[in-house]
Amino acid sequence: MTSPLAPIVLETGQAGARLHEFTVIDVRTPGEYASGHLPGAVNIPLDHVRRALPELRHAAERGDLLVVCASGARSEKACSLLADEGVPAATLAGGTGAWASEGRDLQRPSARDSRAGWSMERQVRFTAGTVVLLGLALGLLVHPAFQLIAAGIAAGLVFSAVTDTCGMAVVLGKLPHNRPRPATLDAALAALRGR
């Protein structure tokens, strides 16, 4: 077994200056990817990185990998997973959000090639808010014990912030609208093979 590699973190300026040298892997959900991604990025959602490992290893043998997500958390996880497998990769500090906030261009697929969707952060905020309101309403209208639902969501949000993980995002990521279509994932893997 190979020894783990330390992931490299690049600032947007560093990544922008070398963007043409990288194979860019976007590990967000297909809906997030469709909302705008780094030029030339290939969408391999985080939970499909292991399946794409042979193609990612092959791409890394031909050039450097830059892994991106919305804020940098998921791309760091992907880089750690790749490092454990002996595949070197860099991550973009601040993710696509930092890239866009500096006024850098984002590519968007044409309307016929994309699925409209919300970012994972927006989906989590909506779901958490809805469950909290539901718990409070049921607590007022049915039985006060239902308020524990709201307390549970609040505790989960605190835990999520402290650990920089999000169980709700993991669950929401498994919903059909957040899953890549098999043909889309196969096309992304074929694009990696061709680079």
Side-chain angles (χ1 to χ4, degrees):
M1 178 171 218
T2 60
S3 63
L5 303 169
I8 300 165
V9 179
L10 297 178
E11 298 298 324
T12 54
Q14 295 171 303
R18 297 184 47 212
L19 192 61
H20 63 282
E21 300 173 18
F22 289 112
T23 297
V24 182
I25 308 299
D26 191 319
V27 295
R28 298 177 298 159
T29 66
E32 291 174 294
Y33 175 80
S35 70
H37 55 271
L38 271 67
V42 177
N43 186 218
I44 307 288
L46 180 60
D47 57 345
H48 290 276
V49 168
R50 284 198 189 282
R51 176 179 171 201
L53 194 56
E55 289 83 0
L56 292 168
R57 185 183 314 279
H58 185 64
E61 290 169 356
R62 290 172 301 189
D64 294 333
L65 295 181
L66 176 64
V67 182
V68 300
C69 66
S71 66
R74 285 178 279 177
S75 61
E76 284 181 22
K77 289 177 187 174
C79 283
S80 293
L81 189 151
L82 291 171
D84 289 346
E85 298 294 330
V87 178
T91 183
L92 179 63
T96 307
W99 182 269
S101 71
E102 289 191 7
R104 296 180 181 272
D105 287 336
L106 293 176
Q107 284 183 333
R108 288 175 177 80
S110 66
R112 66 179 172 79
D113 294 334
S114 69
R115 298 185 330 198
W118 287 358
S119 71
M120 186 56 65
E121 179 187 359
R122 186 176 181 192
Q123 291 179 54
V124 167
R125 288 192 321 249
F126 177 80
T127 304
T130 301
V131 173
V132 166
L133 287 174
L134 181 64
L136 292 174
L138 289 172
L140 290 171
L141 301 173
V142 178
H143 190 276
F146 280 107
Q147 293 177 355
L148 291 175
I149 295 171
I153 294 295
L157 291 172
V158 170
F159 179 79
S160 175
V162 169
T163 62
D164 196 24
T165 62
C166 186
M168 189 178 290
V170 171
V171 172
L172 291 173
K174 299 196 181 300
L175 293 175
H177 66 276
N178 283 325
R179 308 289 297 164
R181 294 180 182 130
T184 304
L185 185 60
D186 290 342
L189 296 176
L192 279 178
R193 283 184 217 112
R195 289 189 180 200

